[in-house]
Amino acid sequence: VQLVESGGGLVQAGGSLRLSCLASGLTFRMYTMGWFRQAPGKEREFVASITWNGGSTYYGDFVKGRFTISRDNAKSTLFLQMNSLKPEDTAVYYCARVRPGTTDHVSIQAFDYRGQGTQVTVSS
C-alpha cells in the first residue's frame, strides 16, 4: 500500500490549500479513507474521513465547516480542501486508510496505513 500526499505549503492566515493523496497497492474504492495531522510537540489529531462511496463524511470538531474531504475513486485520489486556514492549522497532514471492518471513522486508532505526510504552514 502506498499513499502519497501533495499540495502542502506555506499560506497566510485566511488562505486556502487543497491537499491530494494518490493511492496505489490497494483497491481504493473499497475503503473509507481519511486525514489526520500532527503538529510539533502535539499528539496526532483526526481531521476528516470519507466512506468508500463518499456517502458519509466525518470531521474533527476543530474543522467547523472550513475543510471539505472528497474523493475520486476513478483516479484513486483523496482530497482535502482547506479554507479559512489559521496558524493553529500548521502541521504535517497525513492521508490514511481506515482499518477495514471497523465502525470507528473518527479517531486516530481507526487508521492503519498512512502516507509520508505533507507540511502545511499557516502564517499569521
Side-chain angles (χ1 to χ4, degrees), residues 7 15 25 27 32 44 53 60-61 66 84 86 92 99 107 116-117:
T27 307
T32 296
R44 293 174 298 166
N53 62 351
D61 290 341
R66 299 182 298 127
S84 302
K86 305 174 182 180
V92 177
R99 186 175 297 106
S107 70
Q116 83 290 348

Side-chain angles (χ1 to χ4, degrees), residues 4-23:
V4 180
E5 302 94 337
S6 61
L10 173 65
V11 64
Q12 289 188 333
S16 299
L17 283 174
R18 189 191 196 205
L19 305 184
S20 299
C21 171
L22 178 62

Side-chain angles (χ1 to χ4, degrees), residues 2-65:
Q2 189 171 19
L3 303 171
V4 180
E5 302 94 337
S6 61
L10 173 65
V11 64
Q12 289 188 333
S16 299
L17 283 174
R18 189 191 196 205
L19 305 184
S20 299
C21 171
L22 178 62
S24 61
L26 76 167
T27 307
F28 179 78
R29 65 181 182 274
M30 293 180 61
Y31 300 106
T32 296
M33 301 292 297
W35 295 90
F36 68 92
R37 69 185 187 181
Q38 187 163 26
K42 296 187 177 181
E43 294 188 355
R44 293 174 298 166
E45 182 174 35
F46 172 82
V47 176
S49 64
I50 183 169
T51 52
W52 67 275
N53 62 351
S56 295
T57 56
Y58 307 87
Y59 295 95
D61 290 341
F62 69 90
V63 170
K64 298 187 186 301

Side-chain angles (χ1 to χ4, degrees), residues 70-81:
S70 61
R71 65 192 297 161
D72 184 339
N73 285 343
K75 296 182 178 179
S76 297
T77 303
L78 181 71
F79 302 101
L80 184 68
Q81 176 68 43

